[in-house]
Amino acid sequence: MYNQNFSRIGYSLCARNGYEWNEKLYIIMERFLNLFMTRYEYEGIPEEFEQLYGNRNLFELMLFFSPAVAWFRRGGKLMALPVSGTYKYNAAGKPVNWTAYAINGTFSEELNEKNSVLMFNDQAMSVPYLQLLYEARFLIKLDSAMSQNIDLQSTPYIIEAFDENAKSASTWTKMLNEFKSRIVLRKKRDKGDKNDLLQSQVLNLGVELKTPDFMKAYNEFLFRGHTYLGIKNVNIEKSERLLTGEVSANDILVQNNYTNALNMRQKCFDELATKGIADKITVKPTELQTMTADISSMYQAQSGILNKGVNSNANVGSESKAE
């Protein structure tokens, strides 16, 4: 299991919700998760809560995989746990009863709108994992295509080898789906034939290196995921080619998604304070720090160019750029 110490919670939530899971997918999703968990800072979180949850925004991790997180008190302690997603609704469609469950499986809690508050990721109650999974599947395909394209820059061989038991056609399909660049042909051996591998053919494919094109497409799907997260993602090179209106349109989507998620979190905290479940908690954008190298080489000095170190505080939703 990839990164077992960190991913155990994520794996548990994926299994409980029946989500797709494999190592390549999780590497991509974990990068999205890292951005998701660090978009906001919180002021007023009780010390007892921080001791229980550690120094990470674990309720954000739960919200990444789950339809919602329920905030409530159990044994006098403030807790935030994922809900099953099965609700009882009032006539207008508002959830009024739900079930929260412990990550370690030790208990589940039947809750309602009087003794707890639900935190959704956004107005649409979207599940971030499922939204980003859609983009991640394209990223996996492009990653596999790049890997195949790089492999095919070398010269593959077609080798004839004897095999008493021929494989079924499904084997070939599997090899194609796995982007195999080495093909072994098996045939039955006649009596008296020697078992050697001397018969082989060189297959000169002459495949053009397409990695830069695949990488551009990869970044486009990556940026779509960043737009959902509310993170500005149009890089400088692309911005220079696009019309101002196109850049502004993407910025509006980024800011809308970021503000939508921020407001849903703050509304949850405001309701917690109103119901007396917790004191006032405030959510705000994370202040980003940028490290820029101080380069003053002889060449730059001669050219009159000096790159001074800059310490930048930026709003995630409006200023940050994806790498």
Side-chain angles (χ1 to χ4, degrees), residues 163-172 175 184 186-188:
D163 190 348
E164 299 295 338
N165 300 315
K167 300 290 185 180
S168 63
S170 61
T171 302
W172 295 99
M175 292 176 68
V184 178
R186 295 176 173 84
K187 64 180 183 180
K188 290 186 178 180

Side-chain angles (χ1 to χ4, degrees), residues 44 49-50 60 69 73 106 153 169 294-295:
F49 185 90
E50 293 183 343
E60 289 279 9
V69 167
R73 285 196 175 271
T106 55
Q153 299 309 303
D294 185 3
I295 303 174

Side-chain angles (χ1 to χ4, degrees), residues 13 16-17 19 36 58-72 79-87 89 95 97-101 103 111 116-130 264-265 268:
L13 290 168
R16 186 179 184 93
N17 290 287
Y19 297 155
F36 183 85
L58 285 181
F59 62 89
E60 289 279 9
L61 183 148
M62 299 171 192
L63 192 55
F64 183 83
F65 294 94
S66 307
V69 167
W71 290 74
F72 62 101
M79 302 193 74
L81 292 176
V83 299
S84 63
T86 302
Y87 313 105
Y89 301 92
N97 293 86
W98 46 84
T99 303
Y101 58 89
I103 296 297
L111 301 167
S116 69
V117 177
L118 288 179
M119 175 184 283
F120 298 103
N121 180 59
D122 49 36
Q123 287 282 354
M125 299 163 55
S126 68
V127 180
Y129 184 91
L130 297 180
M264 291 302 292
R265 286 157 174 75
C268 170

Side-chain angles (χ1 to χ4, degrees), residues 48 52 72-79 81 107 109 111 115 277:
E48 61 179 19
L52 180 63
F72 62 101
R73 285 196 175 271
R74 187 174 191 271
K77 293 182 178 180
L78 180 65
M79 302 193 74
L81 292 176
F107 68 88
E109 194 87 4
L111 301 167
N115 57 19
I277 298 175

Side-chain angles (χ1 to χ4, degrees), residues 130-182:
L130 297 180
Q131 294 288 324
L132 294 167
L133 176 62
Y134 181 79
E135 311 300 344
R137 286 171 177 159
F138 287 104
L139 296 176
I140 290 174
K141 288 182 180 179
L142 287 165
D143 187 74
S144 299
M146 281 189 283
S147 179
Q148 180 193 48
N149 186 249
I150 292 171
D151 286 346
L152 292 179
Q153 299 309 303
S154 61
T155 304
Y157 292 86
I158 296 179
I159 302 173
E160 296 184 8
F162 294 111
D163 190 348
E164 299 295 338
N165 300 315
K167 300 290 185 180
S168 63
S170 61
T171 302
W172 295 99
T173 302
K174 181 180 178 182
M175 292 176 68
L176 290 173
N177 290 337
E178 293 177 352
F179 296 91
K180 296 295 185 182
S181 55
R182 299 292 184 274

Side-chain angles (χ1 to χ4, degrees), residues 5-30:
N5 291 330
F6 181 83
S7 68
R8 189 171 289 118
I9 297 177
Y11 177 75
S12 173
L13 290 168
C14 277
R16 186 179 184 93
N17 290 287
Y19 297 155
E20 181 180 347
W21 181 282
N22 59 65
E23 181 174 319
K24 183 178 287 189
L25 174 63
Y26 191 74
I27 291 174
I28 294 173
M29 295 301 290
E30 189 176 56

